[in-house]
Amino acid sequence: MSHLATVSMASPAMESLYPQKDMTLNKRDGFEDLMEERRHSSDLRYAMRCYTPVLYKDLVPRTPSALRSIVLKSDQVQYVIKQLSKETGESPDIISDEASDILEKMGHGLRLSVVRFFAFALSKIFKALFQKVRVNEEGIHKLHQAIQEYPVVLLPSHRSYIDFLMLSYIMYTYDLCLPVIAAGMDFMGMKIVGEMLRMSGAFFIRRSFGADKLYWAVFSEYVKTILRNGDAPVEFFVEGTRSRTGKSLIPKLGLFNIAIEPFLMGEVFDMYLVPISISYERILEESLYAHELLGVPKPKESTSGLLKARKILSENFGSIHVYFGQPVSVRSLATGTVRRSQYNLVPRHIPRKPSGDVYRFLDAVGHRMVMLQQKNMVISPWALVATVIIQNLPSLPLSDLTRQTLWLKAIAEAFGAFIDWPRNVTNDKVIRSSLALRHSIVKTVKDQVVLCQEVTPAEFTVENIFKYTVSVLMCASYRNQILHVFVRPALVTIAFQNAHSCRREDVYSCFSYLHKVFSDEFIFLPGDLVKDFDEGLYLLVKSGAIQGSHTQIYISEKGGVTISFLSDMFRPFLEGYQVICKYLQCTEHTDHFTEKKFISEIRSYAAENILTGAIKYNEVLSMDMQKNALAALARLGAMEKLKIANGNVYKVNKQAVTKVANMLAPTIPVKNATAARL
């Protein structure tokens, strides 16, 4: 008997992981609406008020130009300049000039006058766009204290371009030191706006550095110098980019490693990581994201594009909740986990890659920060409504939608979700209001709720399928906002169904495989497989869906509805991965193929099968799912990933692909890929 038998089906210790009802009420009551005061007082007076931010206790004030000079003269940058001079034969002065040019393009140029302009302009914009901007003041108070004690790294979730503007606006409102923000170089290309962003605290970096040693040295030293001195909180998105799907993304560790290195090298006693959860009732880019997921190129950031987007000011985007999490001490995370003494073996100015234990530490902390972001997300009623709609396509009666949404709300709250359900408003009105706010996604026809882009069987063409899928992906992006609440119990449910066994060991074995397959889709803390299984099992027991002993698991008499709903919630991912496996099994691959060609061909193949009715879920057309599936198959050995001069190519291992397909679920009856070729 394995270790699984030692954990109780409903361990009391686990109950502390999930908030009780009174804690949920406290969380709700702890939010303050920033827009309330803005709607009743002068925006100009607000922008021009006395701004006296709290600062780091050991701060030695310096100008942005002085900061750039310190970076350029640093041991690390000078070492890399000398090394490159030896390697290339170029004069150190020429390379130094190049480093100076990088710094000029990269560095922020914070000016209070520009900050005040943005405070005034954003007040006008936010009042037009949002009904409320709600902030947890307890988190603000803790951040106020943290900034004074140690260098601070702000780690917000990333769902919209509004994110970094909103955070700076909030920091200004509460007299907190404005952060310096890592922004993509494409923003710098925006005339006037790019420079204004720089003067508001943004510093610009390339999307990728490749093997550019000088750029990496300048960039890393710039960030570390700001943190060592405590000039300002450093803000970046640990997910790396905006999530187009509404799900959290796997953390990117490059900038994360740079930010934590001053502590690992003993240059600061401690640092604080502050996870920040930004929850949108309606996302400005919802339509843009859906089109991007179907292969439409992302529009280039430009001032003209920004001006054309003014029409959105007439739209209603509901409310935003911004939750500042508990500052997390890096020192407490590292104690007993990582050996900092290794940094004493090599001079500190010599660049190095993180060792195995440091990388594992960074990976674990990165995942933990994203999970803390998820934990403090505020779920809108629409996320529940969208979940019910997406599982009942093409339509369902409004009365059924209301009933199922209320049932889902009860389950979600039992599982620990914070639902921002309006008080003193009838449930029917809450549902109707949610539908009205998403008039671009859904509509009500003769008391039936349908997607705006309806497609009847007579209209089924590839073009119409993609138009319909835009609405599907927009709706699914809001369902995706709550998947982290259900993913563990849902995977236990699917494992129970796929295992065809009541033995706990068999269910765990199947869960373990699903957990591994979908680790690119959902956030799991590395090394927490058993804990994730026990959590999922505990929540299913708590909801009354299953019962059993240490060795056996059974569906309860009333558990069928919950089991069915949870498995259907994640069915699009199961089917999507199966379709991709089926395509790879049925297609003859005579040579290696690129990711770009794979995505193009699988999209055509999936669209054909949707037309014939062989595939139920249009989400397989999403580029995000296709890329995640490709990464999972490579990780599982079903695809061999090979590096070439221009990137990566893949080679199929059909036997391994068949094993993955068989482990996911019964075979999906899709036609052979006779026309599609890689």
Side-chain angles (χ1 to χ4, degrees), residues 606-617:
E608 291 173 9
N609 278 280
I610 291 171
L611 279 175
T612 64
I615 296 176
K616 180 179 179 182
Y617 300 102

Side-chain angles (χ1 to χ4, degrees), residues 439-589:
H439 55 83
S440 61
I441 304 177
V442 294
K443 59 184 178 181
T444 305
V445 180
K446 296 180 180 179
D447 211 38
Q448 293 282 321
V449 179
V450 299
L451 296 181
C452 288
Q453 287 288 347
E454 292 182 90
V455 180
T456 64
E459 300 172 316
F460 263 33
T461 64
V462 170
E463 182 180 356
N464 285 339
I465 286 295
F466 278 94
K467 287 181 179 179
Y468 178 70
T469 303
V470 168
S471 290
V472 171
L473 293 180
M474 287 168 69
C475 193
S477 70
Y478 291 97
R479 174 212 60 198
N480 290 348
Q481 291 179 357
I482 66 169
L483 291 184
H484 66 277
V485 175
F486 297 100
V487 63
R488 289 161 182 80
L491 289 187
V492 172
T493 294
I494 295 166
F496 180 80
Q497 294 171 328
N498 288 1
H500 303 295
S501 168
C502 293
R503 292 183 67 246
R504 181 172 174 144
E505 290 287 343
D506 295 337
V507 176
Y508 173 77
S509 177
C510 194
F511 173 89
S512 174
Y513 193 81
L514 293 171
H515 193 279
K516 188 174 182 180
V517 169
F518 291 117
S519 61
D520 292 291
E521 292 283 355
F522 309 108
I523 304 298
F524 303 115
L525 193 64
D528 267 12
L529 174 62
V530 174
K531 182 180 177 183
D532 287 339
F533 179 74
D534 289 337
E535 276 189 28
L537 209 54
Y538 165 75
L539 291 173
L540 289 171
V541 171
K542 182 181 178 182
S543 67
I546 64 171
Q547 56 191 25
S549 64
H550 292 307
T551 58
Q552 301 288 317
I553 300 172
Y554 305 97
I555 299 177
S556 67
E557 289 185 16
K558 299 180 180 179
V561 174
T562 302
I563 296 296
S564 177
F565 192 93
L566 290 178
S567 59
D568 285 347
M569 186 185 292
F570 288 81
R571 195 65 60 188
F573 299 95
L574 286 165
E575 184 186 81
Y577 277 51
Q578 275 194 286
V579 168
I580 290 168
C581 287
K582 186 69 175 178
Y583 169 70
L584 294 171
Q585 287 174 291
C586 298
T587 307
E588 291 300 324
H589 309 283

Side-chain angles (χ1 to χ4, degrees), residues 117-162:
F117 171 80
F118 265 117
F120 175 78
L122 290 176
S123 290
K124 300 292 186 187
I125 293 170
F126 290 159
K127 284 191 291 186
L129 290 176
F130 305 112
Q131 294 172 348
K132 295 180 180 179
V133 175
R134 305 185 70 198
V135 180
N136 68 318
E137 292 207 321
E138 182 184 0
I140 292 292
H141 297 324
K142 290 178 179 178
L143 178 58
H144 188 282
Q145 184 65 34
I147 287 175
Q148 297 177 72
E149 293 178 355
Y150 298 112
V152 168
V153 178
L154 303 178
L155 301 170
S157 57
H158 201 14
R159 302 292 179 270
S160 171
Y161 277 144
I162 292 291

Side-chain angles (χ1 to χ4, degrees), residues 513 517 577-578 580-587 633 636-639 652-668:
Y513 193 81
V517 169
Y577 277 51
Q578 275 194 286
I580 290 168
C581 287
K582 186 69 175 178
Y583 169 70
L584 294 171
Q585 287 174 291
C586 298
T587 307
L633 290 170
L636 294 166
M639 308 274 273
V652 179
N653 179 337
K654 286 196 174 185
Q655 186 175 0
V657 169
T658 300
K659 178 184 176 183
V660 174
N662 292 340
M663 287 295 293
L664 288 176
T667 305
I668 295 175

Side-chain angles (χ1 to χ4, degrees), residues 247-263:
K247 295 191 286 99
S248 295
L249 304 179
I250 301 299
K252 303 296 187 294
L253 303 182
L255 184 46
F256 203 58
N257 175 43
I258 290 171
I260 291 180
E261 206 167 68
F263 167 77

